[in-house]
């Protein structure tokens, strides 16, 4: 097979880029390791920045997001004195976020790809990248036991943190920056009315908690748990009990509980790989960076990568102008580092760190105290939470 751009990974980053490029008549193929059902079964992000929604529209996939996505103008921070609402709209000078699940984003993108006749090859095994430093790179994979080859002009690595693309960059070229946190998030999805119509992030003595939602009949809650904990250690009852204890009492008593329809533990990590380009290979999304979910920046940063890469590729094919591609890594990383800073600071402020000294704990509490008492601090929070411009 021959194509212009071979995209590795059919997650949101790969599918969105594929859809955008196809809209500009740039031929591309997506190679995805898993089945479509497997990809759609992953429960992940819930909060989208405006920039993400704009890209979905540009890709012709924004209608359902407009209809079903909930616009949020604020979030609350719970602390030992109660709740403080941060006005995102006012603080950011008129922006908001949209609550719409990653599962729905991916579903919309798959449907759009199908409608346009886009090529997404599922269950592509043993994907390997070749001749990335040449003008004629190619990708090999195995499908139904048969060896296949895609000749292309560019390769995009959108295959997530555990993918093969980043690993195709020689170790002496790749620089990695990482922080692993000593806890994870236990997440529960339940068909109950959300305890609050806006998100509540809680920095509690017992540990972090988050009340989020997918709709007014579907709640998504998280609590910080030790890394050693297993999902089976947490019955639904134990989860609800602990969640309520980490919220102000008047919020806890309002909590509607019910059976979990999904329950999983995700470890927390901050990670960036530099550069995001190696020859004809460009990395995008989780393949290049991981955010702790505290600031809701993972999927949103995948979208800003896609934006820069999309424009770089369009300029290359339309105008023969390579400036966008040449500056891709530097531009994408500049925004990614700012989002890293924000999600790191929010993670550090709201979680309990077992090894903290009393001094560090005091400082951490002071960080939270400053945020809830300063309008200017809340403005800075709002500007970052809704997403920096790109
Ligand atoms: P994905 O979604 O991991 O997709 C990569 C795809 O590549 C495939 N793949 C391969 N394909 C071919 N060959 C190989 N060798 C391959 N190896 C892997 C995989 O099967 C997969 O389909 O990466 P992408 O597209 O970059 O998207 C990134 C987002 O998924 C991620 O950043 C977010 O989910 C992070 N995240 C959040 N981000 C937000 O912006 N807002 C949020 O509210 C938010 N909440 C979250 C989150 C992540 C969470 N978890 C579970 C880590 C909440 C949680 C709990
Ligand atoms: C979610 O709804 O899954 C969610 C929301 C906000 C976050 C992380 C996850 O910061």
């Amino acid at each position: 097979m021959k194509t212009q751009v071979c995209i590795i990974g059919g997650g949101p980053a790969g599918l969105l880029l594929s859809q955008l490029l196809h809209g500009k008549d740039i031929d591309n193929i997506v190679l995805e390791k898993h089945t479509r059902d497997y990809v759609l079964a992953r429960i992940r992000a819930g909060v989208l920045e405006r920039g993400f929604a704009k890209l979905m529209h540009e890709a012709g996939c924004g209608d359902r997001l407009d209809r079903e996505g909930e616009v949020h103008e604020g979030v609350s921070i719970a602390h030992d004195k109660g709740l403080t609402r941060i006005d995102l709209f006012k603080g950011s000078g008129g922006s908001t976020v949209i609550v719409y699940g990653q599962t729905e984003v991916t579903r919309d993108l798959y449907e759009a790809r199908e409608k346009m006749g886009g090529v997404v090859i599922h269950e592509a095994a043993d994907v390997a990248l070749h001749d990335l430093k040449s003008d004629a790179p190619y990708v090999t994979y195995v499908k139904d036991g048969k060896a296949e080859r895609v000749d292309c002009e560019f390769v995009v690595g959108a295959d997530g943190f555990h993918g093969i693309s980043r690993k195709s960059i020689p170790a002496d070229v790749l620089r990695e920056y990482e922080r692993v946190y000593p806890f994870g998030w236990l997440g529960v999805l339940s068909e109950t009315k959300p305890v609050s119509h806006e998100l509540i992030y809680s920095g509690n003595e017992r540990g972090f908690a988050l009340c989020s939602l997918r709709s007014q009949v579907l709640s998504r809650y998280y609590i910080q748990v030790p890394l050693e904990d297993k999902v089976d250690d947490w019955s639904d009852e134990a989860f609800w009990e602990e969640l309520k204890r980490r919220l102000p009492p008047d919020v806890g008593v309002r909590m509607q509980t019910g059976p979990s329809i999904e329950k999983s533990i995700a470890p927390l990590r901050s990670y960036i790989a530099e550069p995001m380009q190696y020859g004809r290979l460009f990395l995008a999304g989780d393949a290049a960076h991981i955010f702790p979910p505290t600031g809701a920046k993972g999927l949103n940063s995948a979208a800003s990568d896609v934006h820069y890469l999309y424009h770089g590729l369009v300029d290359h094919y339309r105008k023969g102008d390579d400036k966008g591609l040449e500056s891709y890594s530097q531009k994408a990383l500049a925004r990614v580092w700012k989002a890293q800073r924000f999600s790191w600071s929010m993670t550090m402020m709201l979680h309990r760190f077992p090894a903290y000294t009393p001094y560090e704990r005091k400082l951490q509490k002071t960080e939270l105290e400053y945020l809830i008492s300063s309008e200017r601090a809340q403005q800075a929070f709002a500007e970052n939470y809704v997403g920096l411009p790109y």
Side-chain angles (χ1 to χ4, degrees):
M1 268 183 293
K2 237 180 140 65
T3 190
Q4 289 172 305
V5 183
C6 185
I7 300 172
I8 319 300
L15 294 171
L16 180 58
L17 181 67
S18 168
Q19 180 69 9
L20 287 163
L21 293 177
H22 198 153
K24 297 281 183 197
D25 295 325
I26 298 172
D27 195 53
N28 67 83
I29 290 176
V30 176
L31 298 179
E32 165 57 48
K33 184 179 183 177
H34 293 289
T35 63
R36 178 171 165 158
D37 286 347
Y38 179 94
V39 175
L40 286 174
R42 291 192 289 230
I43 311 284
R44 286 185 169 182
V47 175
L48 307 183
E49 296 172 358
R50 284 278 154 199
F52 192 99
K54 198 168 153 239
L55 272 179
M56 286 290 280
H57 273 283
E58 246 175 284
C61 319
D63 289 353
R64 196 159 72 97
L65 194 152
D66 278 356
R67 271 197 321 275
E68 296 177 19
E70 279 190 25
V71 173
H72 284 213
E73 296 191 357
V75 292
S76 289
I77 307 287
H79 44 84
D80 53 9
K81 298 189 196 81
L83 272 189
T84 300
R85 180 177 186 271
I86 298 184
D87 192 327
L88 296 174
F89 186 79
K90 225 171 77 189
S92 68
S95 194
T96 53
V97 291
I98 303 164
V99 169
Y100 189 72
Q102 178 169 333
T103 315
E104 306 312 315
V105 167
T106 314
R107 195 186 306 282
D108 293 346
L109 287 166
Y110 268 129
E111 277 171 17
R113 288 289 51 221
E114 226 165 55
K115 258 198 212 146
M116 277 178 93
V119 183
V120 181
I121 296 167
H122 284 279
E123 297 179 90
D126 300 337
V127 173
L129 316 184
H130 310 271
D131 291 356
L132 294 168
K133 281 293 217 183
S134 80
D135 289 350
Y138 66 98
V139 178
T140 54
Y141 65 98
V142 175
K143 170 82 183 168
D144 299 330
K146 209 171 140 243
E148 305 279 359
R149 169 174 170 144
V150 181
D151 288 285
C152 56
E153 287 154 12
F154 295 100
V155 181
V156 173
D159 49 351
F161 186 64
H162 300 288
I164 48 90
S165 299
R166 187 180 66 252
K167 294 171 192 141
S168 310
I169 301 179
D172 60 344
V173 174
L174 199 74
R175 291 184 303 279
E176 296 178 285
Y177 302 87
E178 182 172 46
R179 171 170 209 136
V180 176
Y181 300 89
F183 40 73
W185 278 17
L186 169 63
V188 157
L189 191 67
S190 89
E191 286 166 328
T192 49
K193 186 175 159 46
V195 71
S196 158
H197 68 285
E198 289 179 347
L199 273 70
I200 302 175
Y201 290 90
S202 178
N204 186 268
E205 203 60 42
R206 298 180 65 86
F208 171 84
L210 168 60
C211 306
S212 182
L213 61 151
R214 291 291 177 272
S215 72
Q216 289 308 316
V217 289
L218 194 56
S219 300
R220 180 68 166 159
Y221 297 113
Y222 298 95
I223 54 172
Q224 168 188 353
V225 294
L227 269 183
E228 310 75 53
D229 279 18
K230 302 274 169 286
V231 171
D232 290 343
D233 299 339
W234 286 90
S235 66
D236 287 357
E237 292 68 31
F239 175 84
W240 292 118
E241 196 50 41
E242 187 57 35
L243 175 64
K244 286 193 233 174
R245 292 178 77 172
R246 295 185 188 187
L247 295 167
D250 58 320
V251 177
V253 293
R254 289 204 313 267
M255 179 75 66
Q256 241 189 47
T257 63
S260 61
I261 55 172
E262 195 264 358
K263 202 191 277 172
S264 51
I265 294 181
L268 265 69
R269 181 196 300 271
S270 295
Y271 172 91
I272 299 190
E274 292 188 357
M276 286 171 64
Q277 177 194 3
Y278 175 70
R280 291 277 176 137
L281 168 68
F282 293 86
L283 300 179
D286 279 17
H289 39 69
I290 291 291
F291 296 78
T294 325
K297 292 296 169 217
L299 179 59
N300 289 305
S301 301
S304 63
D305 295 348
V306 166
H307 163 89
Y308 293 123
L309 192 49
Y310 163 56
H311 287 285
L313 287 165
V314 169
D315 286 351
H316 169 84
Y317 283 111
R318 284 283 165 93
K319 305 185 207 153
D321 175 357
D322 280 345
K323 284 199 289 296
L325 286 180
E326 283 159 9
S327 60
Y328 167 71
S329 178
Q330 172 240 317
K331 273 198 219 148
L333 283 167
R335 189 176 187 278
V336 161
W337 272 110
K338 288 184 193 124
Q340 278 281 328
R341 186 205 66 81
F342 177 66
S343 51
W344 161 81
S345 68
M346 208 175 155
T347 304
M348 297 304 283
M349 180 176 69
L350 294 174
H351 291 75
R352 282 310 306 270
F353 288 78
Y356 263 9
T357 60
Y359 174 80
E360 287 165 319
R361 176 73 182 130
K362 275 277 189 189
L363 269 187
Q364 186 188 30
K365 284 183 154 185
T366 308
E367 218 29 74
L368 184 52
E369 175 62 33
Y370 174 56
L371 175 66
I372 64 179
S373 60
S374 158
E375 203 178 314
R376 295 241 164 84
Q378 290 175 23
Q379 274 176 8
F381 180 98
E383 179 185 39
N384 282 279
Y385 193 85
V386 302
L388 296 172
Y390 54 90

